[in-house]
Amino acid sequence: MKMIDEEERKINEIVKIVETQIVKFSDTYRSGPDLYFYRKIIDLRAKFPDIESFLKNEYNCEILYACLTSWDMNCRGAKMKYFNEFQNTLFNCMEYFKELEIFNRQSKPRLNELFHPLLLAYDRLNVMKTSSKLVSNSKLLHYLFPNILMPIDRENTLVYLFGENSRTYESIRRYQDIIEFSFKVINKKNNWLIYRDDRWNTTAPKMVDNAIILIRNEQRGKK
């Protein structure tokens, strides 16, 4: 019962942040290459509603690669694979990506149906030289399917949802739990579009991520 209550408290906390502070997020968060490549990939993805044609365009794959780099996936001990290997792992997931594309176009996809291709794609995606894949895969999957999947990081998402000791723990089950949580938050509101802007507030899943970052910044400030 306490776990359910705590989850509901966090869901309501995120919704409140979205309603009261999310419009200010873009003015306080990172800019420069981080924002440029993110907006570039979001705009390109919108122009290629078919995932196969999107990934068969090498320029799009190069921007995906650059965006992951600008989002710290090739620093602090994290090492990405060379571009050709990166591109190959994307093509190897194409059959699952095509299924996910259907859900990405729906206003309220069924989560239990979405998980089948999502978890298969997650398991097959392997873009890092290092063994960890939770953060890199979540960011990549967000770029590809921004309407339904949120990005994850250790210091914000994992600590907020699972506590300080969760940073080094990852699994496919943990990814599933986070996406399920994000869907519960998103389903609490019907008017996410009114908070969109031309910077970081792009989709409902990204705004959930942005709200968690704002909450964690406040928590760190209190320590």
Side-chain angles (χ1 to χ4, degrees), residues 150-161 178 209 212:
M150 68 173 279
I152 294 167
D153 69 19
R154 299 186 185 283
E155 293 299 320
N156 295 304
T157 326
L158 291 182
V159 173
Y160 178 70
L161 291 178
I178 294 170
D209 176 51
I212 290 174

Side-chain angles (χ1 to χ4, degrees), residues 42-95:
I42 292 297
D43 292 344
L44 285 170
R45 188 66 181 91
K47 292 177 181 177
F48 287 81
D50 175 74
I51 187 66
E52 186 169 17
S53 63
F54 174 79
L55 290 176
K56 284 186 175 179
N57 183 303
E58 185 157 318
Y59 175 74
N60 295 340
C61 290
E62 289 172 350
I63 297 298
L64 278 173
Y65 196 64
C67 198
L68 281 172
T69 303
S70 71
W71 278 30
D72 304 325
M73 287 295 94
N74 201 51
C75 66
R76 302 174 190 169
K79 298 295 180 184
M80 290 177 62
K81 291 183 176 179
Y82 195 66
F83 178 74
N84 290 347
E85 295 176 274
F86 169 81
Q87 194 173 34
N88 286 337
T89 197
L90 295 175
F91 293 155
N92 288 337
C93 295
M94 190 68 75
E95 61 180 300

Side-chain angles (χ1 to χ4, degrees), residues 45-207:
R45 188 66 181 91
K47 292 177 181 177
F48 287 81
D50 175 74
I51 187 66
E52 186 169 17
S53 63
F54 174 79
L55 290 176
K56 284 186 175 179
N57 183 303
E58 185 157 318
Y59 175 74
N60 295 340
C61 290
E62 289 172 350
I63 297 298
L64 278 173
Y65 196 64
C67 198
L68 281 172
T69 303
S70 71
W71 278 30
D72 304 325
M73 287 295 94
N74 201 51
C75 66
R76 302 174 190 169
K79 298 295 180 184
M80 290 177 62
K81 291 183 176 179
Y82 195 66
F83 178 74
N84 290 347
E85 295 176 274
F86 169 81
Q87 194 173 34
N88 286 337
T89 197
L90 295 175
F91 293 155
N92 288 337
C93 295
M94 190 68 75
E95 61 180 300
Y96 308 126
F97 288 165
K98 288 180 180 179
E99 292 185 59
L100 288 171
E101 183 71 76
I102 297 170
F103 295 104
N104 196 57
R105 297 173 185 171
Q106 297 173 354
S107 58
K108 288 191 175 182
R110 294 177 182 270
L111 192 58
N112 60 330
E113 296 176 2
L114 179 148
F115 273 141
H116 178 260
L118 176 59
L119 298 182
L120 289 171
Y122 178 97
D123 191 52
R124 186 173 288 190
L125 272 178
N126 189 16
V127 300
M128 306 297 292
K129 288 184 177 179
T130 46
S131 58
S132 59
K133 60 196 301 186
L134 177 62
V135 175
S136 58
N137 279 8
S138 73
K139 290 178 177 181
L140 180 56
L141 286 165
H142 169 67
Y143 302 155
L144 296 176
F145 306 103
N147 297 325
I148 54 174
L149 302 175
M150 68 173 279
I152 294 167
D153 69 19
R154 299 186 185 283
E155 293 299 320
N156 295 304
T157 326
L158 291 182
V159 173
Y160 178 70
L161 291 178
F162 305 108
E164 294 283 347
N165 296 324
S166 67
R167 292 183 183 91
T168 59
Y169 176 77
E170 65 168 78
S171 70
I172 194 169
R173 176 65 192 184
R174 176 136 291 178
Y175 180 66
Q176 182 175 349
D177 288 342
I178 294 170
I179 296 303
E180 185 173 358
F181 176 84
S182 72
F183 266 68
K184 290 178 182 178
V185 177
I186 292 166
N187 288 335
K188 277 274 187 175
K189 291 185 66 63
N190 294 318
N191 58 340
W192 290 89
L193 288 176
I194 68 173
Y195 304 105
R196 287 178 61 180
D197 59 34
D198 60 355
R199 291 173 65 81
W200 289 107
N201 295 315
T202 52
T203 63
K206 185 65 179 86
M207 283 184 253

